[in-house]
């Protein structure tokens, strides 16, 4: 029991240290750009599987307080995604004209089952057209529109 308390204390200290250094941020303090990166960008993996989706949706905080129904991860570096923001403006689903389209490798994660604290996803990888909304100066991605 004492060892468990010591481990939990060390983990809490580590989390507080990381928060203090700005390496981990609580979701309520995110900019729209940071939220976009957390929810939609993974340049380190190819994805494409259900196990990938199950892991990433949980790791990236999209299973609390409830399971997110659908999410897309883009498998490109942020430079390539920022380049999409330089493409011609097109209309977003909300009617604004700050969306841009490009082709990238993605993994779509669709919720297939959920119970308290257990979200299960089906993953499918492909290369396809995506639409993202961009804002700021310079333009950066802030919303995945489709």
């Amino acid at each position: 029991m004492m060892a468990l308390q010591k481990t939990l204390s060390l983990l809490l200290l580590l989390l507080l240290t990381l928060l203090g250094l700005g390496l981990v941020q609580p979701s309520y303090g995110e900019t729209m750009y940071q939220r976009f990166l957390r929810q939609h960008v993974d340049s380190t993996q190819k994805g494409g599987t259900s196990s990938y989706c199950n892991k990433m949706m949980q790791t990236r905080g999209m299973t609390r307080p409830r399971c997110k129904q659908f999410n897309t991860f883009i498998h490109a570096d942020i430079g390539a995604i920022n380049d999409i923001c330089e493409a011609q403006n097109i209309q977003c689903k909300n009617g604004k004209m700050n969306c841009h389209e490009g082709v990238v490798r993605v993994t779509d994660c669709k919720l297939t089952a959920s119970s308290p604290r257990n979200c299960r996803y089906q993953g499918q990888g492909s290369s396809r057209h995506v639409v993202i909304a961009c804002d700021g100066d310079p333009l950066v991605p802030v919303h995945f529109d489709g």
Side-chain angles (χ1 to χ4, degrees), residues 6-145:
K6 198 175 217 179
T7 301
L8 290 175
S9 295
L10 287 172
L11 286 174
L12 181 59
L13 180 62
L14 176 62
L15 177 62
L16 291 173
T17 302
L18 291 173
L19 281 167
L21 292 173
L23 300 176
V24 174
Q25 292 186 344
S27 60
Y28 60 81
E30 291 178 318
T31 66
M32 290 181 70
Y33 174 65
Q34 290 168 328
R35 183 177 181 196
F36 177 88
L37 293 177
R38 177 178 57 83
Q39 290 190 345
H40 300 293
V41 179
D42 182 18
S43 62
T44 64
Q45 299 184 39
K46 299 291 183 213
T49 66
S50 296
S51 61
Y52 171 84
C53 286
N54 290 325
K55 177 185 172 203
M56 290 298 289
M57 293 297 286
Q58 183 175 13
T59 302
R60 298 287 181 97
M62 291 179 277
T63 58
R64 295 175 312 274
R66 60 181 171 265
C67 306
K68 187 174 181 182
Q69 294 286 316
F70 188 87
N71 191 68
T72 300
F73 289 101
I74 301 171
H75 304 293
D77 65 52
I78 194 58
I81 297 168
N82 285 343
D83 286 348
I84 294 173
C85 291
E86 300 301 321
Q88 181 178 353
N89 289 41
I90 61 173
Q91 189 171 15
C92 303
K93 290 176 184 174
N94 67 4
K96 291 178 74 178
M97 289 298 295
N98 66 323
C99 278
H100 309 267
E101 187 177 40
V103 176
V104 288
R105 175 114 183 104
V106 300
T107 297
D108 293 314
C109 300
K110 181 180 178 183
L111 184 67
T112 58
S114 67
S115 60
R117 301 194 180 275
N118 189 22
C119 307
R120 306 310 307 162
Y121 291 90
Q122 178 181 11
Q124 182 172 353
S126 64
S127 288
R128 66 174 175 87
H129 286 267
V130 296
V131 177
I132 58 174
C134 301
D135 250 335
D137 185 17
L139 287 175
V140 294
V142 294
H143 175 72
F144 190 91
D145 206 53

